[in-house]
Amino acid sequence: MKKIGLLGILGLLGLVGCEKEIDIDYRSVEPIYVVEASVSNDGMTARVSLTQDVDDNHTTSDVSDASIVVTGSDGSETKLVHKKNGIYQATAKGQVGVTYQIDVEVGGHHFTSTSTMQRMPKINKFHFIWKKIMSSRFLMGELLFQDIPNEENWYFSHIYRNKLGFRWAVKRDDQNPNKELQQLYSIAKEGSDDKDLLREGDQLRIELRAIDQRAYDYLYSMQIMDNTNTNPIPNFTGGCLGYFSAYSQTTINYVYHESDVDEEE
């Protein structure tokens, strides 16, 4: 018996099966629509796809015939245009404080979600440190950023290594509100041959987004799904997978050099 589950931040999909001692019963599952959409200070984008059956390695999952409209509480209305590979875009940028609703019509289905645009976050510092745990040293990434003052906030951070997703996390400001917040990323144990161990000259891009609570709840449920053995909480009505987020984002670039790694004091 199979269960549909999201396996990654950008909608990487898989089918997680219940294992038997000898045989595994892979039952066919009807495809499910997946919508990953955002409104940001850079524009509006959405990707629409279909999950695939476990034994189907031939058909594409991209969906090119969806109708996608984003409306704002400020009276704005924007239709996203299909570009390629199931990706829809518009140049209209989100405005802080506006609540946006996305409506997706595709294959006789209607999916909708809402999200409120947040204020711009600020990165104070990003670096790597060696942390000693017992008799071993571990490489950790440390992101320090300023909490947006005088309001409740939620954040999503994503590290890309050589243009590929590497580490991500979500955080809320219930610790040290209005001041500097810390996000630690575990990289690898010193001396290991772990494929995630950084190499000299790796190009990193660190993205920090201020998101709303609905997006945070979805991403947090995804972050802990390996421990809870559950799927992420629904973010859309209508039965599709995926999520919609209105956010402000700031980005910095970083080149990894082992000589720059700090020692924990």
Side-chain angles (χ1 to χ4, degrees), residues 100-111:
Y100 291 94
Q101 176 173 307
I102 186 170
D103 288 274
V104 181
E105 300 278 354
V106 59
H109 299 276
H110 178 211
F111 310 120

Side-chain angles (χ1 to χ4, degrees), residues 5-14 36 158 168 218-219 222 225 232 242-243:
L6 249 66
L7 299 183
I9 183 64
L10 300 179
L12 301 177
L13 294 167
E36 304 156 276
H158 197 176
W168 68 272
Y218 174 86
L219 291 167
M222 178 184 287
M225 61 186 289
Y243 79 106

Side-chain angles (χ1 to χ4, degrees), residues 17-33:
C18 300
E19 225 177 89
K20 296 181 180 179
E21 185 175 357
I22 299 177
D23 298 320
I24 301 177
D25 179 17
Y26 290 116
R27 300 179 184 177
S28 293
V29 177
E30 287 296 320
I32 296 176
Y33 284 101

Side-chain angles (χ1 to χ4, degrees), residues 200-242:
E200 186 70 18
D202 275 351
Q203 304 287 318
L204 304 176
R205 185 174 83 253
I206 298 91
E207 297 179 352
L208 176 65
R209 300 175 183 176
I211 60 178
D212 70 352
Q213 185 174 5
R214 291 192 75 240
Y216 171 86
D217 289 344
Y218 174 86
L219 291 167
Y220 180 75
S221 69
M222 178 184 287
Q223 183 173 270
I224 65 172
M225 61 186 289
D226 285 344
N227 296 326
T228 60
N229 196 32
T230 59
N231 293 319
I233 62 175
N235 183 265
F236 273 89
T237 64
C240 73
L241 300 177

